[in-house]
Amino acid sequence: MNDSQSNRIIVAGGTGLVGTHLVRELLKQGMAVQVLTRNPRGAQLPDGATACGWEELPEIIEGSLAVVNLAGEGIADARWSQARKKDLLNSRIAPTQRIVTALAQARQSPAVLVNASAIGIYGTQGEAPLDETHPAGTGFLADLCQAWEAAADPAQTLGVRVVKLRLGPVLARSGGALPKLAQPVRLFMGTALGSGRQGFSWIHIEDLVRLILEC
């Protein structure tokens, strides 16, 4: 592995909220960042990052240090019609499968695939604290997350370390859950949500970026 390859990170979904923050931090740390996107020409990326189309797989994965897969339509961006549910599923499963296929074709695979998932895999299980040792729950989100993680699992048979990030709502000023939560308050319509005892497993965008870097 030469020097130009040893610090190269591939980020799928690098134009979204988390991806944009992650790409900036990777660049600050001196990494060479290539962002997989459906629209390379129109991608708005920080200076120093390169936009690549999905058709460039598996070439760009060859010899890279790591792949971070954040691809997927926003869960809370639209009402869950049957068509929307299909989009949510396909926008996660298909990109993950394409990445794993590219890993299988690479002669020199990355050391790690960091693949997004969500705490929705646990479904609704009351007030008991849950961690990664708990079984999956039931419902659409649980089914989606199980299929999402299963799509990444075959990379392990290729000798690639697979990290599945079961994330909760991401809080940031620039997007995600926080602006939606803050809007009623700004309109003087804020009120207590529920009993105040219910869990809300949020993570701040800066902590999430550090978590991904650690992985």
Side-chain angles (χ1 to χ4, degrees), residues 83-153:
R84 180 61 179 174
K85 287 181 178 180
K86 185 176 181 180
D87 289 342
L88 292 173
L89 184 66
N90 291 340
S91 66
R92 287 162 171 76
I93 306 307
T96 304
Q97 290 175 334
R98 291 184 71 173
I99 289 171
V100 172
T101 298
L103 292 172
Q105 295 172 348
R107 292 164 303 189
Q108 188 174 4
S109 295
V112 58
L113 166 61
V114 180
N115 204 77
S117 183
I119 59 172
I121 196 169
Y122 303 113
T124 302
Q125 299 194 33
E127 296 183 359
L130 303 175
D131 60 28
E132 64 273 13
T133 65
H134 284 76
T138 58
F140 170 69
L141 281 182
D143 293 343
L144 182 151
C145 291
Q146 289 181 84
W148 197 3
E149 294 186 6
D153 282 337

Side-chain angles (χ1 to χ4, degrees), residues 20-143:
T20 300
H21 282 75
L22 174 63
V23 168
R24 288 198 189 103
E25 187 59 33
L26 287 169
L27 291 170
K28 287 180 182 178
Q29 297 199 10
M31 297 294 183
V33 183
Q34 291 182 297
V35 175
L36 274 172
T37 175
R38 291 174 294 180
N39 183 20
R41 292 185 178 180
Q44 301 294 316
L45 300 177
D47 291 341
T50 304
C52 301
W54 283 86
E55 69 279 1
E56 297 182 59
L57 291 174
E59 287 80 6
I60 63 170
I61 273 182
E62 185 74 41
S64 61
L65 179 64
V67 179
V68 180
N69 179 23
L70 305 171
E73 298 285 343
I75 286 290
D77 289 353
R79 187 176 65 85
W80 287 1
S81 64
Q82 289 304 312
R84 180 61 179 174
K85 287 181 178 180
K86 185 176 181 180
D87 289 342
L88 292 173
L89 184 66
N90 291 340
S91 66
R92 287 162 171 76
I93 306 307
T96 304
Q97 290 175 334
R98 291 184 71 173
I99 289 171
V100 172
T101 298
L103 292 172
Q105 295 172 348
R107 292 164 303 189
Q108 188 174 4
S109 295
V112 58
L113 166 61
V114 180
N115 204 77
S117 183
I119 59 172
I121 196 169
Y122 303 113
T124 302
Q125 299 194 33
E127 296 183 359
L130 303 175
D131 60 28
E132 64 273 13
T133 65
H134 284 76
T138 58
F140 170 69
L141 281 182
D143 293 343

Side-chain angles (χ1 to χ4, degrees), residues 177-196:
L178 186 57
K180 294 183 177 69
L181 293 171
Q183 186 175 24
V185 178
R186 293 188 173 124
L187 296 174
F188 300 99
M189 297 173 63
T191 185
L193 302 176
S195 67

